[in-house]
Amino acid sequence: MNGKLRKLVQTNMVLYILLLLVFAGLTARLSPLLAAGEVAAALLVWYVSRRRNKVMQQQLHQYVERISGGADTAKTSNMLFAPMPMMVFNPDSEDVLWANDLFAELPGVGENIYESRVRDVVKGFETHWLMEGKPEYPGIFTWNDRRYRVFGCLSQPEEKGRFGVLATTYWMDVTDLEHMRSTLEETKPVAAIVMIDNYEDLMGACPEGKRSAIRAAIEEKMDQWRGTSGALLMKYDRDRYLMVFTEKQYEAFAQGRFAILDEVRTVQAAEGVYATMSIGVGREAGSYDALFKNAGLALEMALSRGGDQAVVKDRMNFEFYGGRAKTTEKRTKVKSRVMANALGDLMDETEHVYVMGHQYADMDTLGAAAGVCAIARKRGKVARIVMDTENNSVGPMLRKLKALPEYKDVFIGGGDAFLRVQPDTLLVVVDTNRPASVESEPLLEACNRVAVIDHHRRGSSYIEKMALNFHEPYASSASELVTELLGYLLEPGDLLKTEAEALLAGIVLDTKNFTNRTGGRTFEAAAYLRRAGADTQDVQRMFQSDLESMIDRYAIIRQAVLYREDLAIAAIDEECERVTAAKAADELLTLSGVQASFVFYPKDGGVYISARSLGEVNVQVIVEALGGGGNSTSAGGQLPGVTVEQVRQMLQEAIDKYYEKSNQGGTAK
């Protein structure tokens, strides 16, 4: 045992014994008997202290041997000659009992280590993790500009004595290793594809001589945004650029919330025609090829959500920045014709067609499903609609369809459809692209061939295995998209009057009677349905409500309060019908000065929320922060396991962040 260890456990009784002997000498003249007693006491104290020191040395030696593997001498002890700093202390009192030379040589360790506590020797060091049975200090411990990984254990000598439970810690200096790790993380490559969304519109809105100036202005904005970061920027197509930079540079771009999205909007080609940009970023991939693939997936996601935003794709998730601007129609009839032919070919290759929408079907879901049934009937197939016929908001139209001979036994539950799935079954999903939102997720997973027809902006979770993907976030409704397909696959006379009215009702619902999210294609679809026999008055009757639901609706409106002066929030403490809440949110938009409305109410052990907007506020970005989805003017969601008051606070925080990000550059993650 080394000198420090012996010095630690030995009790210095020499001074006390000398004092006793001096007193014995002084009293010998007065009382020899008393002096003899004092000498005997001194000898007894010497014997007891020597015996106690031997016991303490034996106990600590046993402890050292247990850790060092039973070494017989200090020269062979793995503990005493360990290659890393070690410190032993009492976990109860935190008194330092022993430390090897390597620990004593660490920067900042004082000389009087054996007379101190752990917290005095190592500032800020916590020891509770040892008592919790953990073998390692949580995280990296920083001490005197050095970084350590600290391991430890508790041990007790075989013979219980003064020491009791002892804690041994091992200090591994990982400063250089952590520096190398952080440097490696900061220099990992990141790839981004930057695309000018409306390149064709920009070039078509200005004379030939000014087109090069527009392109130069956009590239100048990109160079200014890139700044002195050292990122590589290269144009590889007329409207696309490739950027390669490091993870550290990415953090700077993300912290600035991709300010180029706002800066590029200052480039104007003509009155009302401004440049917009989408960015797809790929991270955390093992090769440059995989990085570029992730960037391509992120760009596809950005475009499917309406463009004018940045989407980041890492190994597992998507992150969204921007998406606040109004989307403009960028669809072509060429794509609709290609999708129509592809859907027809898929139906020709199977005998089993199922159509499924989202849970709690609305008029747009039913209308789109009826349109797909019409296409299947034209191809000689019988399509079945997977729908909960009890829990939905399409009662009147559902009854009209069920009364038709063509729709006998067409409606089927999700469980029955799952049991009837065949290997060649074609499942057409309408009015949603999220797996968690479909009527029957097991049915979706069981089908190998899936076609998606949807107009909602894509979220981070979406249906991946698709044989056909007709996804247009610029369309007003899924019924509008299906109507476009009908124009290439059916004659107006092939469509039943009730089917045409169902499709028109879906368009009317999502456009708020053609006042919201309407474009030229929307009216073309409505004209086609009118020629197919749709009666606008019958469609309007589908949206009539009774007196009781109207009273309930206005009771919700009475509870609405304004937030940030132009946002109406109605928090309902009692359950209500989903349709009633949605209609109340629509009517709140008719109030002067209200730009967006939010209605939420308790149901099924959670809270349901309906959000509507006139277009200036992107309610999808706000509701996405709460776990919902939708599009820029109509969104909703279900929040399990929360209260109405909690949702109110969460919603207000999401709104504040939305406007905060707007002030920081107009982006919303």
Side-chain angles (χ1 to χ4, degrees), residues 249-303:
Q249 293 160 353
Y250 160 76
E251 294 296 338
F253 291 142
Q255 187 175 4
R257 310 201 63 80
F258 294 91
I260 185 63
L261 296 172
D262 286 323
E263 295 170 3
V264 77
R265 292 195 203 106
T266 61
V267 178
Q268 182 178 6
E271 184 65 29
V273 182
Y274 299 90
T276 62
M277 183 176 289
S278 292
I279 304 175
V281 181
R283 301 175 56 212
E284 299 180 0
S287 64
Y288 285 100
D289 182 62
L291 280 176
F292 189 76
K293 182 178 179 180
N294 281 355
L297 291 173
L299 180 63
E300 180 183 347
M301 174 69 78
L303 296 175

Side-chain angles (χ1 to χ4, degrees), residues 49-65:
S49 64
R50 182 178 177 83
R51 179 68 179 173
R52 187 181 181 192
N53 281 336
K54 289 186 65 177
V55 172
M56 292 176 61
Q57 290 179 17
Q58 182 180 9
Q59 289 177 350
L60 188 56
H61 186 71
Q62 289 175 350
Y63 172 72
V64 171
E65 284 187 337

Side-chain angles (χ1 to χ4, degrees), residues 74-285:
K75 293 183 179 180
T76 60
S77 173
N78 293 330
M79 179 176 179
L80 299 178
F81 296 95
M84 66 177 64
M86 295 177 60
M87 177 178 64
V88 180
F89 62 92
N90 187 320
D92 295 325
S93 63
E94 294 192 352
D95 292 332
V96 177
L97 302 178
W98 178 83
N100 64 0
D101 293 339
L102 291 177
F103 185 88
E105 294 171 359
L106 292 179
V109 178
E111 295 181 357
N112 300 324
I113 182 174
Y114 304 109
E115 301 175 4
S116 307
R117 293 187 174 185
V118 174
R119 68 184 63 179
D120 298 325
V121 176
V122 185
K123 302 295 183 182
F125 184 67
E126 300 289 341
T127 61
H128 60 83
W129 54 279
L130 281 165
M131 304 304 295
E132 295 171 358
K134 298 178 181 179
E136 183 177 355
Y137 181 87
I140 301 296
F141 181 72
T142 302
W143 178 35
N144 293 324
D145 299 326
R146 305 294 294 180
R147 310 189 71 183
Y148 300 90
R149 288 186 64 185
V150 184
F151 304 91
C153 63
L154 297 177
S155 183
Q156 184 175 8
E158 295 178 358
E159 296 182 9
K160 296 183 179 180
R162 170 187 171 185
F163 294 106
V165 177
L166 299 180
T168 304
T169 54
Y170 309 82
W171 297 69
M172 179 185 295
D173 191 331
V174 294
T175 306
D176 296 336
L177 182 64
E178 284 296 307
H179 177 71
M180 292 172 59
R181 188 193 62 79
S182 61
T183 302
L184 179 62
E185 288 293 327
E186 292 176 352
T187 56
K188 287 170 61 175
V190 179
I193 300 175
V194 183
M195 177 181 175
I196 303 173
D197 290 333
N198 55 346
Y199 182 84
E200 295 292 344
D201 296 338
L202 291 171
M203 296 300 102
C206 62
E208 179 70 31
K210 293 185 178 180
R211 293 177 182 176
S212 59
I214 295 296
R215 288 191 291 264
I218 293 174
E219 292 177 358
E220 181 181 1
K221 294 292 184 184
M222 295 176 65
D223 283 334
Q224 291 175 355
W225 172 60
R226 183 174 56 124
T228 59
S229 64
L232 171 66
L233 177 65
M234 180 184 69
K235 183 176 182 179
Y236 72 95
D237 203 348
R238 61 176 186 170
D239 60 349
R240 299 195 180 205
Y241 300 80
L242 175 65
M243 283 189 68
V244 180
F245 43 94
T246 64
E247 194 72 26
K248 184 177 182 180
Q249 293 160 353
Y250 160 76
E251 294 296 338
F253 291 142
Q255 187 175 4
R257 310 201 63 80
F258 294 91
I260 185 63
L261 296 172
D262 286 323
E263 295 170 3
V264 77
R265 292 195 203 106
T266 61
V267 178
Q268 182 178 6
E271 184 65 29
V273 182
Y274 299 90
T276 62
M277 183 176 289
S278 292
I279 304 175
V281 181
R283 301 175 56 212
E284 299 180 0

Side-chain angles (χ1 to χ4, degrees), residues 18-80:
L18 289 177
L19 288 175
L20 287 174
L21 293 177
V22 169
F23 279 116
L26 294 176
T27 57
R29 299 178 182 177
L30 301 176
S31 175
L33 185 60
L34 179 62
E38 290 178 347
V39 172
L43 294 175
L44 181 62
V45 169
W46 174 80
Y47 175 78
V48 170
S49 64
R50 182 178 177 83
R51 179 68 179 173
R52 187 181 181 192
N53 281 336
K54 289 186 65 177
V55 172
M56 292 176 61
Q57 290 179 17
Q58 182 180 9
Q59 289 177 350
L60 188 56
H61 186 71
Q62 289 175 350
Y63 172 72
V64 171
E65 284 187 337
R66 289 186 62 187
I67 299 178
S68 63
D72 294 331
T73 63
K75 293 183 179 180
T76 60
S77 173
N78 293 330
M79 179 176 179
L80 299 178

Side-chain angles (χ1 to χ4, degrees), residues 39 66 116 223 233 327 335 344 386 411 450 464 553 558 562 569-570 583 623 647 657 662:
V39 172
R66 289 186 62 187
S116 307
D223 283 334
L233 177 65
T327 59
K335 182 176 181 179
V386 182
F411 293 93
V450 179
E464 295 184 356
R553 189 160 66 249
R558 288 181 58 186
L562 291 179
I569 298 178
K583 289 184 177 180
V623 175
V647 173
K657 289 181 180 179
S662 174

